């Protein structure tokens, strides 16, 4: 990665003249150094041996740090973005920076997010996976209502195919399990669309291990998309299940979403490493599990560059253990 420049809010770090085996590194004495201010930022060149990719379904390889397109819509995830040209630039730059997993949903906009992705990226680069979701309706800005009726879901798939200009959706996720509809009925409809060649793989969102196990009796499940980040680990049990079964885990709100991430000790650790708390949080997710597929979203080119630079952060096992312990402190 010769001469590749990554910028943070606090400093510029240039990785120059790196070989595949050599990277800039400063070793910390231990967890105490994080608080003593002696830690250093470690931006490393990605090597062939790094665990940077994951194969969805066993045969659909993606780079583990993807891009979530939800924030490219209007306020309240409603309507077109105020700067449509900027949104197209963000999508193209995400792909240029190596994000070949783009996450969206028919409810984002609604519809406008899928249309924008096709507008910006079609014809799609080889290897780009556009994952979308269906199963929620939008009465208005900021409002989300599950709708898992089989016929409705089949219509959703057909409409997403048309908006995205695809013959087949590589990954289609049930956006929410509708408490008014049996999961087997909702997934049965998606299975029909899969059998018809309109869907390659099926995933779930915001589910427990028991729900994933139940769903797999109807159709193979290759991904789970639950809220998860370094300061919010409610779905730790689902992640453990996904690790065991080699199911991709796509954490939404990987850097806190609209709530952000507020943690005084983590802020200090990030500052000591010369990165933002959000970069540290993304790097932690990638370190946390080989099945983790973070999809941070933004409408800012600068924030996109920051997010993608998190792939290059390399810390020792002791440093990660120290940071993991700090995450539990207010």
């Amino acid at each position: 990665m010769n001469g590749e420049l990554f910028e943070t809010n606090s400093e510029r770090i240039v990785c120059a003249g790196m070989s595949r085996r050599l990277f800039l590194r400063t070793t910390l004495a231990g967890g105490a150094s994080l608080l003593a201010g002696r830690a250093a930022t470690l931006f490393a060149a990605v090597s062939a041996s790094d665990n940077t990719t994951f194969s969805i379904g066993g045969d659909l390889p993606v780079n583990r740090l993807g891009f979530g397109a939800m924030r490219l819509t209007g306020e309240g995830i409603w309507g077109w973005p105020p700067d449509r040209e900027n949104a197209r630039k963000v999508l193209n730059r995400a792909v240029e920076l190596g994000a070949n997993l783009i996450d969206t949903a028919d409810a984002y906009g609604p519809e406008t997010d899928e249309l924008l992705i096709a507008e910006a990226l079609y014809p799609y680069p080889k290897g780009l996976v556009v994952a979308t979701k269906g199963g929620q309706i939008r009465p208005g800005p900021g409002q989300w209502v599950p709708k898992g009726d089989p016929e409705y879901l089949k219509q959703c798939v057909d409409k997403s195919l048309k908006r995205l200009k695809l013959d087949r959706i590589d990954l289609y996720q049930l956006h929410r399990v509708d408490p008014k509809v049996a999961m087997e009925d909702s997934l049965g409809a998606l299975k029909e669309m899969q059998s018809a060649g309109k869907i390659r793989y099926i995933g779930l969102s915001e589910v427990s291990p028991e729900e994933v196990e139940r769903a797999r009796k109807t159709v193979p499940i290759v991904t789970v998309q639950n809220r998860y980040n370094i300061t919010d680990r409610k779905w730790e049990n689902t992640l453990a299940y996904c690790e065991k079964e080699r199911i991709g885990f796509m954490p939404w709100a990987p850097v806190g979403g609209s709530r952000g991430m507020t943690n005084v000790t983590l802020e200090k650790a990030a500052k000591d490493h010369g990165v933002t708390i959000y970069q540290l949080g993304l790097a932690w997710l990638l370190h946390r599990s080989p099945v983790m597929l973070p999809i941070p979203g933004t409408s800012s080119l600068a924030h996109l560059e920051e997010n993608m630079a998190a792939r290059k952060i390399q810390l020792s096992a002791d440093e990660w253990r120290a940071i993991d312990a700090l995450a539990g402190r207010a």
Side-chain angles (χ1 to χ4, degrees):
M1 304 290 287
N2 294 334
E4 187 164 359
L5 176 66
F6 299 99
E7 292 187 346
T8 70
N9 288 336
S10 57
E11 63 182 329
R12 290 185 176 182
I13 299 162
V14 180
C15 303
M18 287 188 179
S19 69
R20 287 186 175 273
R21 294 186 177 182
L22 179 65
F23 56 85
L24 297 175
R25 184 178 184 90
T26 301
T27 303
L28 297 181
S33 349
L34 291 172
L35 301 177
R38 294 193 296 270
T41 305
L42 310 172
F43 282 90
V46 177
S47 73
S49 62
D50 285 331
N51 189 17
T52 58
T53 63
F54 177 83
S55 288
I56 295 173
D59 64 356
L60 189 61
V62 294
N63 295 326
R64 291 208 295 125
L65 187 57
F67 178 75
M70 184 181 76
R71 294 292 171 189
L72 296 179
T73 57
E75 187 176 352
I77 321 303
W78 192 264
W80 290 98
D83 188 342
R84 197 154 156 177
E85 177 58 27
N86 175 73
R88 289 193 291 265
K89 288 179 180 178
V90 169
L91 282 164
N92 277 287
R93 185 59 178 150
V95 173
E96 288 172 1
L97 290 171
N100 61 356
L101 172 60
I102 307 291
D103 177 78
T104 185
D106 63 7
Y108 299 163
E111 303 181 3
T112 55
D113 207 46
E114 291 181 330
L115 290 168
L116 185 63
I117 287 170
E119 189 177 288
L121 300 176
Y122 185 85
Y124 300 111
K126 184 178 180 181
L128 181 66
V129 174
V130 179
T132 192
K133 300 180 285 292
Q136 291 212 94
I137 57 174
R138 303 293 308 286
Q143 298 179 330
W144 308 80
V145 180
K147 185 173 176 61
D149 306 79
E151 290 307 312
Y152 172 73
L153 284 173
K154 286 190 275 189
Q155 291 174 22
C156 287
V157 172
D158 282 332
K159 290 179 180 178
S160 286
L161 282 167
K162 185 175 180 180
R163 285 190 291 268
L164 290 168
K165 299 183 179 180
L166 290 169
D167 296 321
R168 181 181 67 176
I169 296 168
D170 280 327
L171 176 60
Y172 193 90
Q173 301 159 96
L174 182 62
H175 207 159
R176 285 294 185 276
V177 175
D178 187 343
K180 298 179 181 178
V181 179
M183 180 194 296
E184 290 77 7
D185 292 342
S186 298
L187 292 173
L190 297 185
K191 185 178 181 179
E192 282 185 44
M193 302 305 271
Q194 187 179 51
S195 298
K198 297 180 179 182
I199 295 173
R200 182 171 180 178
Y201 288 121
I202 295 171
L204 297 172
S205 183
E206 213 66 358
V207 287
S208 67
E210 294 75 20
E211 287 173 315
V212 183
E213 190 73 25
R214 177 181 165 189
R216 294 174 77 191
K217 294 177 181 177
T218 299
V219 65
I221 299 297
V222 301
T223 58
V224 168
Q225 189 168 337
N226 285 13
R227 183 185 178 92
Y228 187 89
N229 57 64
I230 192 171
T231 60
D232 183 353
R233 307 187 203 181
K234 172 186 174 182
W235 294 109
E236 193 76 49
N237 58 345
T238 301
L239 172 58
Y241 178 88
C242 289
E243 283 185 321
K244 177 185 173 186
E245 301 297 325
R246 294 297 297 171
I247 292 171
F249 187 89
M250 300 171 66
W252 65 271
V255 291
S258 58
R259 303 177 199 171
M261 291 197 307
T262 304
N263 185 297
V264 175
T265 50
L266 276 182
E267 286 278 9
K268 186 178 188 310
K271 184 178 180 180
D272 289 343
H273 283 74
V275 299
T276 69
I277 190 174
Y278 304 111
Q279 288 177 311
L280 188 66
L282 288 172
W284 177 85
L285 286 170
L286 293 171
H287 169 78
R288 172 63 185 82
S289 172
V291 305
M292 193 79 76
L293 305 172
I295 44 170
T298 180
S299 60
S300 162
L301 281 167
H303 289 163
L304 172 66
E305 299 273 351
E306 270 191 3
N307 288 343
M308 297 306 291
R311 294 171 301 175
K312 306 295 189 273
I313 298 174
Q314 296 286 333
L315 302 179
S316 71
D318 285 343
E319 290 166 334
W320 281 125
R321 278 192 289 270
I323 287 170
D324 200 54
L326 290 176
R329 303 182 192 176

